[in-house]
Amino acid sequence: MIISNIKPGYVYHIKDSYFEAVNDDKLMRNHEGGAYRPTYFCLKDKKTGLLWIVPMSSRVDKYQAIVDRDIKRYGKCLKIFVGEYANKPNAFLFQNIFPIIPKYISHIHTIGQNPVPVNERLQALLDMNFREIKRLHKRGAKLIFPDIDRLEEIMLNELAANKEWTINTNNCF
């Protein structure tokens, strides 16, 4: 089943079949035993139409140390963004970002059976961070672990081969 309505600003879970299809050992995979972790925040690349997925982690202390180190060294940190989701601090791991199409999204993340959006202010900050990290990547900066150029090509080829998977431009922001 393909989820046809990817809601903007929400968090999703990814099917194991994505990781099998793209075969990239740098991706953060789902935890073993059928657990739906990590959760992934959805962004939209308006140029290609692909969805981009940002893995999230509740292990904020671990990632805050990396953010602090990078800010001290470079004046900013784009590869990890710490923000609040569902009233708890979370690390948004842009260093592990990857493209995807709806075919590989399992389901929306819920709490108490209700989908929980990322607040709009944080969404705007995450979108700015996404655009900046993609711009730096195109210039050759090594901020992202997975081979996103190869993954993007795979996803664009799947979209081209299967027109019914075309992503509605109103689905993600």
Side-chain angles (χ1 to χ4, degrees):
M1 181 174 97
I2 297 173
I3 297 177
S4 61
N5 187 21
I6 308 300
K7 295 180 182 178
Y10 283 82
V11 174
Y12 293 88
H13 297 277
I14 307 302
K15 294 177 184 175
D16 289 336
S17 60
Y18 175 81
F19 303 103
E20 295 162 6
V22 299
N23 192 29
D24 187 316
D25 64 348
K26 300 288 193 267
L27 287 171
M28 291 182 70
R29 296 179 180 269
N30 290 334
H31 289 263
E32 294 179 11
Y36 287 113
R37 292 185 49 233
T39 53
Y40 300 91
F41 179 69
C42 174
L43 292 158
K44 169 99 176 197
D45 185 333
K46 292 177 176 120
K47 186 181 282 185
T48 64
L50 289 177
L51 303 174
W52 283 78
I53 300 298
V54 182
M56 296 168 57
S57 175
S58 60
R59 296 177 58 194
V60 174
D61 291 341
K62 171 186 173 181
Y63 292 107
Q64 187 65 55
I66 297 168
V67 170
D68 294 343
R69 184 192 71 218
D70 279 8
I71 290 173
K72 186 176 181 179
R73 181 181 283 168
Y74 306 113
K76 64 182 176 180
C77 179
L78 294 173
K79 62 186 181 183
I80 300 169
F81 192 100
V82 175
E84 191 172 287
Y85 172 69
N87 298 318
K88 295 179 185 169
N90 275 268
F92 293 82
L93 307 176
F94 283 88
Q95 66 190 9
N96 301 100
I97 196 168
F98 58 91
I100 198 166
I101 56 177
K103 164 187 174 182
Y104 295 112
I105 294 179
S106 173
H107 61 279
I108 195 165
H109 181 71
T110 60
I111 297 175
Q113 299 182 2
N114 296 308
V116 180
V118 171
N119 77 57
E120 289 181 20
R121 183 173 176 268
L122 180 55
Q123 285 181 43
L125 293 171
L126 294 171
D127 187 52
M128 279 189 338
N129 199 74
F130 168 69
R131 285 182 277 137
E132 180 67 17
I133 202 165
K134 287 274 292 176
R135 188 170 28 257
L136 289 171
H137 173 77
K138 286 188 187 298
R139 291 184 186 163
K142 304 290 184 202
L143 298 169
I144 303 169
F145 296 136
D147 183 354
I148 61 169
D149 295 325
R150 185 181 71 82
L151 299 176
E152 186 173 37
E153 185 178 336
I154 291 169
M155 293 297 103
L156 288 171
N157 287 338
E158 282 201 41
L159 271 182
N162 299 287
K163 298 295 183 196
E164 70 271 14
W165 296 340
T166 301
I167 300 165
N168 182 334
T169 57
N170 297 322
N171 286 346
C172 278
F173 63 104

